[in-house]
Amino acid sequence: MIRFINVVKKYSDLVALKNINLEISDGEIFGLVGPSGAGKSTLLRTINKLEEVDDGQILVDTINVCELNGKNLANYRQKVAMIFQHFALLNTQNVYKNIALPLEARHFKKKEIKEKVLKLAEITGISDKLDSLPTTLSGGQCQRVAIARALALDPKILLCDEATSALDPNTTIQILDILKKINKELKITIVIVTHQMEVVKYICDRVAVINKGEILEIGKTEDIFLYKNKALETLVDEKPIVPTNGKNIKLIFPKKSASESLITKMARDLNIDFDIVWGKLEKFGDDVLGSLVINVKDKDFINVLTYINKTDVKYELIKGDNKDDISR
Ligand SMILES: Nc1ncnc2c1ncn2[C@@H]1O[C@H](COP(=O)(O)OP(=O)(O)OP(=O)(O)O)[C@@H](O)[C@H]1O
Ligand SMILES: [Mg+2]
């Protein structure tokens, strides 16, 4: 468990983190999103004390991170690995040496190092490049090496700062699949800073939206994207364009199949017509969830709401480009 309690971080006059309270559970893949300058990297880097905080506490299990220094800090950092957008590999050393680096620095035996490097290279799919120099590898291959190196000392937590931002979409998916695998198989808690919403939807169990050093929302990824997405509106520009006449109701379905049966049944039961004016299906992890905006005539509005209220489908009323308060 990683716990932030009233954490404040300042850079002279600038308050980069304002009273952050947040808990990340063991085994979670947790996302931090927000616009540039929001404080995402700063928050991430307080977890391994690359940034010191000015107030508050950070607890990782029973360890008070803010109080660590010297040998205790070095020991702690072995358990909290980090990967970056630009990989931070040693370009004069081959892949084998890059992965072996943390083990050599801690004087592991040659045989142990070899076993470990081969195993990590296999997990990250880079076994065929062990003799290559990083300068001869693609971005995706470099990130595989960086992940293998990050795992060398069996960390409990992996911090990722824009780890896929320099990669193309296909390579991004491959790297995210590796992260998913190590989260599951090696039981590593992963904290991901990203500005890529696809990354969050693909991999994160929960997400916090940060802006100007404050957490605006925390929740399960699908809830943040499907329901209470006000904080995300500045980041994701995808407001439905809807008619100005009648009433527009955005229905949010737990599963794709549920949407089709509800709307056909509702039209039949209420004997009304309505238009489907906007719709979207999205993949969150392994689930496909959907939202649909229907436009109903004013005279049918109350009947439709009463009908929807009897189901487990959530809704929001959408009024032009503003959202009304009516929702559940
Ligand atoms: N070492 C530093 N000295 C002074 N100000 C800093 C320092 N590091 C970050 N800041 C400031 O703190 C704020 C938060 O920065 P941070 O790097 O955490 O943002 P971010 O959300 O990671 O942004 P980006 O998406 O652009 O990486 C910004 O206003 C930034 O300019
Ligand atoms: Mg950053």
Side-chain angles (χ1 to χ4, degrees):
M1 164 91 83
I2 306 169
R3 279 180 75 191
F4 295 85
I5 306 166
N6 300 329
V7 167
V8 175
K9 168 74 186 172
K10 294 176 191 161
Y11 296 108
S12 50
D13 286 349
L14 181 102
V15 186
L17 300 175
K18 295 176 194 162
N19 206 35
I20 300 284
N21 286 286
L22 173 65
E23 288 185 7
I24 301 173
S25 306
D26 288 346
E28 256 193 312
I29 303 185
F30 193 93
L32 297 172
V33 298
S36 186
K40 306 179 297 291
S41 297
T42 305
L43 186 59
L44 191 76
R45 291 159 61 87
T46 60
I47 299 174
N48 58 357
K49 215 185 173 190
L50 285 180
E51 299 288 352
E52 297 215 26
V53 304
D54 292 290
D55 206 354
Q57 287 192 328
I58 299 163
L59 302 177
V60 173
D61 299 331
T62 54
I63 298 170
N64 186 340
V65 177
C66 308
E67 285 176 359
L68 293 176
N69 45 42
K71 200 161 188 303
N72 288 340
L73 180 58
N75 287 339
Y76 167 76
R77 281 194 179 139
Q78 286 189 21
K79 296 294 163 200
V80 188
M82 192 161 185
I83 55 172
F84 309 87
Q85 181 172 1
H86 296 298
F87 326 122
L89 300 176
L90 287 182
N91 283 332
T92 53
Q93 304 284 336
N94 67 17
V95 167
Y96 183 99
K97 277 278 188 189
N98 266 281
I99 302 174
L101 208 71
L103 299 162
E104 284 174 352
R106 278 160 193 84
H107 310 294
F108 277 68
K109 291 197 185 89
K110 250 190 159 165
K111 186 167 164 273
E112 275 179 285
I113 293 177
K114 189 171 178 193
E115 274 171 19
K116 191 96 200 191
V117 170
L118 295 184
K119 186 173 157 230
L120 292 171
E122 196 191 322
I123 291 174
T124 54
I126 197 74
S127 305
D128 55 336
K129 297 285 179 190
L130 286 172
D131 297 328
S132 305
L133 289 175
T135 45
T136 66
L137 302 182
S138 68
Q141 288 166 334
C142 285
Q143 199 55 288
R144 286 168 194 265
V145 180
I147 294 171
R149 184 185 55 185
L151 298 180
L153 298 172
D154 301 320
K156 291 266 173 248
I157 298 171
L158 178 63
L159 309 176
C160 310
D161 196 348
E162 301 284 4
T164 53
S165 298
L167 307 176
D168 66 55
N170 282 340
T171 312
T172 294
I173 296 289
Q174 290 168 8
I175 296 297
L176 295 180
D177 283 338
I178 294 173
L179 294 179
K180 268 190 188 179
K181 184 164 90 174
I182 62 176
N183 165 256
K184 225 181 191 146
E185 291 176 12
L186 307 178
K187 311 221 177 316
I188 295 176
T189 305
I190 300 182
V191 188
I192 293 185
V193 162
T194 183
H195 67 270
Q196 296 170 290
M197 298 304 139
E198 324 80 76
V199 167
V200 178
K201 290 177 194 167
Y202 191 73
I203 195 172
C204 294
D205 301 313
R206 288 194 306 143
V207 58
V209 184
I210 303 178
N211 196 12
K212 296 182 183 156
E214 285 180 285
I215 294 184
L216 303 183
E217 273 173 17
I218 306 175
K220 282 169 71 180
T221 305
E222 60 264 36
D223 290 346
I224 293 285
F225 279 90
L226 287 178
Y227 306 137
K228 5 177 210 170
N229 54 9
K230 289 199 170 55
L232 278 181
E233 275 173 8
T234 49
L235 298 177
V236 192
D237 186 20
E238 55 169 26
K239 273 191 206 164
I241 297 165
V242 293
T244 47
N245 60 323
K247 294 278 191 290
N248 300 295
I249 307 168
K250 181 178 178 186
L251 306 169
I252 299 151
F253 297 98
K255 290 270 181 293
K256 183 192 163 216
S257 56
S259 62
E260 283 146 17
S261 58
L262 176 95
I263 56 169
T264 48
K265 196 165 181 306
M266 182 164 75
R268 228 179 13 241
D269 289 354
L270 298 180
N271 195 21
I272 56 163
D273 287 328
F274 51 79
D275 294 323
I276 296 170
V277 293
W278 187 86
K280 189 175 65 169
L281 282 177
E282 282 186 292
K283 207 161 179 268
F284 291 94
D286 297 329
D287 288 333
V288 177
L289 306 177
S291 47
L292 211 61
V293 179
I294 57 170
N295 179 265
V296 301
K297 297 193 179 74
D298 288 323
K299 70 176 175 60
D300 297 327
F301 178 58
I302 296 299
N303 282 346
V304 169
L305 275 200
T306 311
Y307 191 95
I308 298 168
N309 271 320
K310 289 185 196 146
T311 70
D312 63 352
V313 171
K314 308 232 191 240
Y315 65 82
E316 271 176 43
L317 198 62
I318 299 185
K319 217 181 178 189
D321 53 351
N322 298 313
K323 277 193 191 126
D324 224 312
D325 281 330
I326 304 173
S327 66
R328 64 167 186 152

